[in-house]
Short mmCIF file of all heavy atoms in Angstrom, two decimals:
data_model
loop_
_atom_site.label_atom_id
_atom_site.label_comp_id
_atom_site.label_asym_id
_atom_site.label_seq_id
_atom_site.Cartn_x
_atom_site.Cartn_y
_atom_site.Cartn_z
N TRP A 1 22.85 12.89 13.03
CA TRP A 1 23.94 13.81 12.73
C TRP A 1 24.72 13.40 11.48
O TRP A 1 25.11 14.25 10.68
CB TRP A 1 24.89 13.96 13.92
CG TRP A 1 25.96 14.97 13.66
CD1 TRP A 1 27.28 14.74 13.58
CD2 TRP A 1 25.79 16.37 13.43
NE1 TRP A 1 27.96 15.91 13.33
CE2 TRP A 1 27.06 16.92 13.23
CE3 TRP A 1 24.68 17.22 13.37
CZ2 TRP A 1 27.26 18.27 12.97
CZ3 TRP A 1 24.88 18.57 13.11
CH2 TRP A 1 26.15 19.08 12.92
N ALA A 2 24.92 12.11 11.27
CA ALA A 2 25.65 11.66 10.09
C ALA A 2 24.98 12.16 8.82
O ALA A 2 25.65 12.63 7.89
CB ALA A 2 25.77 10.14 10.08
N GLN A 3 23.65 12.12 8.78
CA GLN A 3 22.92 12.61 7.63
C GLN A 3 22.85 14.13 7.61
O GLN A 3 22.88 14.75 6.55
CB GLN A 3 21.49 12.05 7.60
CG GLN A 3 21.40 10.56 7.44
CD GLN A 3 21.36 9.82 8.77
OE1 GLN A 3 21.78 10.31 9.80
NE2 GLN A 3 20.88 8.59 8.72
N ALA A 4 22.77 14.75 8.77
CA ALA A 4 22.62 16.21 8.87
C ALA A 4 23.91 16.94 8.51
O ALA A 4 23.87 18.09 8.09
CB ALA A 4 22.18 16.60 10.27
N LYS A 5 25.06 16.27 8.65
CA LYS A 5 26.34 16.94 8.39
C LYS A 5 26.41 17.51 6.98
O LYS A 5 26.90 18.62 6.80
CB LYS A 5 27.51 15.98 8.61
CG LYS A 5 27.80 15.72 10.06
CD LYS A 5 29.17 15.10 10.30
CE LYS A 5 29.38 13.77 9.66
NZ LYS A 5 30.64 13.14 10.11
N GLY A 6 25.93 16.78 5.99
CA GLY A 6 25.96 17.27 4.62
C GLY A 6 25.12 18.52 4.45
O GLY A 6 25.53 19.49 3.79
N ASP A 7 23.98 18.53 5.07
CA ASP A 7 23.08 19.68 5.03
C ASP A 7 23.71 20.89 5.73
O ASP A 7 23.65 22.01 5.23
CB ASP A 7 21.75 19.30 5.68
CG ASP A 7 20.69 20.36 5.51
OD1 ASP A 7 20.55 20.88 4.39
OD2 ASP A 7 20.02 20.66 6.51
N VAL A 8 24.35 20.64 6.87
CA VAL A 8 25.01 21.71 7.62
C VAL A 8 26.17 22.27 6.79
O VAL A 8 26.37 23.48 6.71
CB VAL A 8 25.49 21.19 8.99
CG1 VAL A 8 26.42 22.17 9.67
CG2 VAL A 8 24.29 20.88 9.88
N LYS A 9 26.93 21.40 6.16
CA LYS A 9 28.08 21.82 5.34
C LYS A 9 27.60 22.66 4.16
O LYS A 9 28.26 23.64 3.79
CB LYS A 9 28.83 20.58 4.86
CG LYS A 9 30.01 20.86 4.02
CD LYS A 9 31.24 21.09 4.84
CE LYS A 9 32.44 21.19 3.91
NZ LYS A 9 33.68 21.26 4.56
N THR A 10 26.46 22.33 3.59
CA THR A 10 25.90 23.12 2.49
C THR A 10 25.50 24.51 2.96
O THR A 10 25.80 25.51 2.31
CB THR A 10 24.69 22.40 1.87
OG1 THR A 10 25.12 21.13 1.38
CG2 THR A 10 24.09 23.21 0.74
N LYS A 11 24.86 24.59 4.12
CA LYS A 11 24.40 25.88 4.66
C LYS A 11 25.56 26.74 5.14
O LYS A 11 25.61 27.93 4.87
CB LYS A 11 23.41 25.61 5.79
CG LYS A 11 23.00 26.82 6.60
CD LYS A 11 22.09 27.73 5.84
CE LYS A 11 21.63 28.87 6.77
NZ LYS A 11 21.02 29.94 6.03
N TRP A 12 26.47 26.14 5.88
CA TRP A 12 27.61 26.86 6.46
C TRP A 12 28.89 26.27 5.89
O TRP A 12 29.59 25.50 6.54
CB TRP A 12 27.57 26.77 7.99
CG TRP A 12 26.40 27.46 8.59
CD1 TRP A 12 26.23 28.80 8.72
CD2 TRP A 12 25.21 26.86 9.12
NE1 TRP A 12 25.01 29.06 9.30
CE2 TRP A 12 24.36 27.89 9.56
CE3 TRP A 12 24.80 25.54 9.26
CZ2 TRP A 12 23.12 27.65 10.13
CZ3 TRP A 12 23.55 25.29 9.83
CH2 TRP A 12 22.73 26.34 10.26
N GLY A 13 29.20 26.64 4.66
CA GLY A 13 30.31 26.06 3.91
C GLY A 13 31.69 26.30 4.50
O GLY A 13 32.64 25.62 4.15
N GLN A 14 31.81 27.27 5.40
CA GLN A 14 33.11 27.54 6.00
C GLN A 14 33.45 26.55 7.12
O GLN A 14 34.57 26.55 7.62
CB GLN A 14 33.17 28.97 6.53
CG GLN A 14 33.16 30.01 5.43
CD GLN A 14 33.29 31.43 5.97
OE1 GLN A 14 33.81 31.65 7.05
NE2 GLN A 14 32.78 32.38 5.20
N LEU A 15 32.49 25.72 7.50
CA LEU A 15 32.77 24.69 8.50
C LEU A 15 33.51 23.55 7.83
O LEU A 15 33.14 23.11 6.74
CB LEU A 15 31.47 24.17 9.13
CG LEU A 15 30.65 25.18 9.93
CD1 LEU A 15 29.37 24.54 10.42
CD2 LEU A 15 31.44 25.75 11.08
N THR A 16 34.55 23.09 8.46
CA THR A 16 35.35 21.99 7.90
C THR A 16 34.79 20.64 8.32
O THR A 16 33.97 20.55 9.25
CB THR A 16 36.81 22.10 8.39
OG1 THR A 16 36.84 21.86 9.79
CG2 THR A 16 37.42 23.46 8.06
N ASP A 17 35.26 19.60 7.67
CA ASP A 17 34.86 18.25 8.06
C ASP A 17 35.30 17.96 9.50
O ASP A 17 34.58 17.30 10.25
CB ASP A 17 35.46 17.22 7.11
CG ASP A 17 34.81 17.27 5.72
OD1 ASP A 17 33.65 17.72 5.61
OD2 ASP A 17 35.47 16.85 4.76
N ASP A 18 36.48 18.47 9.87
CA ASP A 18 36.93 18.31 11.26
C ASP A 18 36.00 19.02 12.23
O ASP A 18 35.72 18.50 13.32
CB ASP A 18 38.36 18.84 11.43
CG ASP A 18 39.40 17.93 10.78
OD1 ASP A 18 39.10 16.75 10.51
OD2 ASP A 18 40.53 18.42 10.56
N ASP A 19 35.52 20.22 11.85
CA ASP A 19 34.55 20.94 12.69
C ASP A 19 33.31 20.08 12.89
O ASP A 19 32.81 19.95 14.01
CB ASP A 19 34.13 22.26 12.05
CG ASP A 19 35.22 23.32 12.02
OD1 ASP A 19 36.16 23.25 12.84
OD2 ASP A 19 35.12 24.23 11.17
N LEU A 20 32.80 19.52 11.81
CA LEU A 20 31.57 18.74 11.89
C LEU A 20 31.75 17.49 12.74
O LEU A 20 30.85 17.10 13.48
CB LEU A 20 31.10 18.37 10.48
CG LEU A 20 30.72 19.56 9.59
CD1 LEU A 20 30.39 19.10 8.19
CD2 LEU A 20 29.58 20.36 10.19
N THR A 21 32.93 16.88 12.65
CA THR A 21 33.22 15.72 13.49
C THR A 21 33.27 16.13 14.96
O THR A 21 32.72 15.45 15.83
CB THR A 21 34.55 15.08 13.06
OG1 THR A 21 34.43 14.65 11.69
CG2 THR A 21 34.91 13.89 13.94
N GLU A 22 33.91 17.27 15.23
CA GLU A 22 34.01 17.76 16.60
C GLU A 22 32.64 18.14 17.17
O GLU A 22 32.34 17.88 18.33
CB GLU A 22 34.93 18.98 16.64
CG GLU A 22 35.13 19.56 18.02
CD GLU A 22 36.01 20.81 18.02
OE1 GLU A 22 36.85 20.95 17.13
OE2 GLU A 22 35.81 21.64 18.92
N ILE A 23 31.80 18.75 16.35
CA ILE A 23 30.47 19.17 16.79
C ILE A 23 29.64 17.98 17.21
O ILE A 23 28.93 18.02 18.22
CB ILE A 23 29.77 19.98 15.67
CG1 ILE A 23 30.48 21.32 15.46
CG2 ILE A 23 28.29 20.18 15.98
CD1 ILE A 23 30.12 22.02 14.16
N ASP A 24 29.68 16.91 16.43
CA ASP A 24 29.03 15.64 16.75
C ASP A 24 27.58 15.80 17.21
O ASP A 24 27.14 15.19 18.18
CB ASP A 24 29.85 14.89 17.81
CG ASP A 24 29.41 13.44 17.95
OD1 ASP A 24 28.96 12.85 16.94
OD2 ASP A 24 29.50 12.90 19.07
N GLY A 25 26.84 16.68 16.53
CA GLY A 25 25.42 16.83 16.83
C GLY A 25 25.10 17.71 18.01
O GLY A 25 23.94 17.81 18.40
N GLN A 26 26.09 18.34 18.60
CA GLN A 26 25.86 19.18 19.78
C GLN A 26 25.56 20.61 19.33
O GLN A 26 26.40 21.27 18.73
CB GLN A 26 27.07 19.15 20.70
CG GLN A 26 27.33 17.76 21.25
CD GLN A 26 28.57 17.72 22.10
OE1 GLN A 26 28.76 18.57 22.96
NE2 GLN A 26 29.42 16.74 21.85
N ARG A 27 24.37 21.07 19.62
CA ARG A 27 23.89 22.37 19.17
C ARG A 27 24.80 23.51 19.62
O ARG A 27 25.09 24.43 18.86
CB ARG A 27 22.47 22.60 19.68
CG ARG A 27 21.80 23.82 19.09
CD ARG A 27 20.37 23.94 19.62
NE ARG A 27 19.62 24.93 18.92
CZ ARG A 27 19.76 26.24 19.09
NH1 ARG A 27 20.63 26.71 19.95
NH2 ARG A 27 19.02 27.09 18.39
N GLU A 28 25.25 23.47 20.86
CA GLU A 28 26.09 24.54 21.40
C GLU A 28 27.42 24.62 20.64
O GLU A 28 27.92 25.71 20.36
CB GLU A 28 26.36 24.33 22.90
CG GLU A 28 25.12 24.38 23.76
CD GLU A 28 24.32 23.06 23.72
OE1 GLU A 28 24.89 21.99 23.39
OE2 GLU A 28 23.11 23.10 24.01
N LYS A 29 27.98 23.47 20.32
CA LYS A 29 29.24 23.46 19.57
C LYS A 29 29.02 23.96 18.15
O LYS A 29 29.87 24.66 17.59
CB LYS A 29 29.84 22.05 19.54
CG LYS A 29 30.49 21.66 20.84
CD LYS A 29 31.24 20.36 20.70
CE LYS A 29 31.95 20.00 21.99
NZ LYS A 29 32.74 18.77 21.86
N LEU A 30 27.89 23.61 17.55
CA LEU A 30 27.59 24.11 16.21
C LEU A 30 27.49 25.63 16.23
O LEU A 30 28.09 26.32 15.39
CB LEU A 30 26.29 23.49 15.68
CG LEU A 30 25.79 24.01 14.33
CD1 LEU A 30 26.84 23.80 13.23
CD2 LEU A 30 24.47 23.35 13.95
N ALA A 31 26.78 26.16 17.19
CA ALA A 31 26.64 27.62 17.31
C ALA A 31 28.02 28.27 17.50
O ALA A 31 28.32 29.29 16.87
CB ALA A 31 25.71 27.99 18.46
N GLY A 32 28.85 27.67 18.32
CA GLY A 32 30.17 28.21 18.57
C GLY A 32 31.04 28.22 17.33
O GLY A 32 31.75 29.20 17.05
N LYS A 33 30.99 27.16 16.55
CA LYS A 33 31.79 27.09 15.32
C LYS A 33 31.27 28.07 14.28
O LYS A 33 32.06 28.68 13.55
CB LYS A 33 31.78 25.67 14.75
CG LYS A 33 32.61 24.70 15.54
CD LYS A 33 34.09 25.06 15.50
CE LYS A 33 34.91 24.06 16.27
NZ LYS A 33 36.34 24.40 16.27
N ILE A 34 29.95 28.25 14.20
CA ILE A 34 29.39 29.23 13.26
C ILE A 34 29.85 30.63 13.67
O ILE A 34 30.27 31.42 12.82
CB ILE A 34 27.86 29.12 13.20
CG1 ILE A 34 27.45 27.80 12.56
CG2 ILE A 34 27.26 30.31 12.44
CD1 ILE A 34 25.98 27.47 12.67
N GLN A 35 29.81 30.91 14.96
CA GLN A 35 30.29 32.21 15.46
C GLN A 35 31.74 32.42 15.06
O GLN A 35 32.11 33.49 14.54
CB GLN A 35 30.27 32.23 16.99
CG GLN A 35 28.96 32.49 17.64
CD GLN A 35 29.16 32.51 19.15
OE1 GLN A 35 28.92 31.52 19.82
NE2 GLN A 35 29.60 33.63 19.68
N GLU A 36 32.56 31.43 15.29
CA GLU A 36 33.99 31.52 15.04
C GLU A 36 34.28 31.72 13.55
O GLU A 36 35.06 32.60 13.17
CB GLU A 36 34.64 30.22 15.53
CG GLU A 36 36.12 30.14 15.38
CD GLU A 36 36.64 28.79 15.87
OE1 GLU A 36 36.20 28.31 16.93
OE2 GLU A 36 37.49 28.22 15.16
N ARG A 37 33.66 30.94 12.70
CA ARG A 37 33.94 30.98 11.27
C ARG A 37 33.36 32.21 10.57
O ARG A 37 33.94 32.71 9.62
CB ARG A 37 33.43 29.73 10.57
CG ARG A 37 34.06 28.45 11.04
CD ARG A 37 35.47 28.30 10.50
NE ARG A 37 35.98 27.00 10.89
CZ ARG A 37 37.07 26.83 11.61
NH1 ARG A 37 37.78 27.86 12.01
NH2 ARG A 37 37.47 25.63 11.94
N TYR A 38 32.20 32.67 11.04
CA TYR A 38 31.51 33.76 10.35
C TYR A 38 31.59 35.09 11.09
O TYR A 38 31.10 36.10 10.58
CB TYR A 38 30.04 33.38 10.10
CG TYR A 38 29.92 32.30 9.06
CD1 TYR A 38 29.93 30.96 9.41
CD2 TYR A 38 29.82 32.62 7.70
CE1 TYR A 38 29.85 29.96 8.45
CE2 TYR A 38 29.74 31.63 6.74
CZ TYR A 38 29.76 30.30 7.12
OH TYR A 38 29.68 29.32 6.17
N GLY A 39 32.18 35.10 12.28
CA GLY A 39 32.35 36.35 13.02
C GLY A 39 31.04 37.01 13.43
O GLY A 39 30.88 38.22 13.34
N ILE A 40 30.10 36.18 13.87
CA ILE A 40 28.81 36.71 14.30
C ILE A 40 28.63 36.42 15.79
O ILE A 40 29.34 35.61 16.37
CB ILE A 40 27.64 36.10 13.48
CG1 ILE A 40 27.59 34.58 13.62
CG2 ILE A 40 27.74 36.53 12.03
CD1 ILE A 40 26.41 33.93 12.93
N VAL A 41 27.65 37.09 16.38
CA VAL A 41 27.38 36.89 17.81
C VAL A 41 26.59 35.59 18.02
O VAL A 41 25.96 35.07 17.10
CB VAL A 41 26.61 38.09 18.42
CG1 VAL A 41 27.46 39.35 18.35
CG2 VAL A 41 25.27 38.29 17.76
N LYS A 42 26.64 35.10 19.24
CA LYS A 42 26.00 33.83 19.60
C LYS A 42 24.52 33.83 19.25
O LYS A 42 24.00 32.85 18.71
CB LYS A 42 26.20 33.57 21.09
CG LYS A 42 25.59 32.28 21.57
CD LYS A 42 25.83 32.07 23.05
CE LYS A 42 25.24 30.76 23.52
NZ LYS A 42 25.46 30.54 24.94
N GLU A 43 23.84 34.92 19.55
CA GLU A 43 22.40 34.98 19.31
C GLU A 43 22.09 34.84 17.82
O GLU A 43 21.11 34.19 17.44
CB GLU A 43 21.81 36.29 19.84
CG GLU A 43 21.81 36.39 21.35
CD GLU A 43 23.18 36.71 21.96
OE1 GLU A 43 24.09 37.18 21.23
OE2 GLU A 43 23.34 36.49 23.18
N GLU A 44 22.90 35.44 16.96
CA GLU A 44 22.69 35.34 15.51
C GLU A 44 22.94 33.90 15.04
O GLU A 44 22.19 33.38 14.21
CB GLU A 44 23.59 36.32 14.75
CG GLU A 44 23.47 36.22 13.25
CD GLU A 44 22.09 36.50 12.69
OE1 GLU A 44 21.29 37.24 13.32
OE2 GLU A 44 21.77 35.97 11.60
N ALA A 45 23.98 33.28 15.55
CA ALA A 45 24.27 31.89 15.19
C ALA A 45 23.11 30.98 15.59
O ALA A 45 22.67 30.14 14.80
CB ALA A 45 25.57 31.43 15.85
#
């Protein structure tokens, strides 16, 4: 996850560093934050 955070931040730039720390490699949390930041449904995230 430490290495993946940079890649995730590049792809989903609206995620904050605090979001990435909170997600901590958990797929469900990543999907939830993408939904929240981008206003998309869970399935799309």
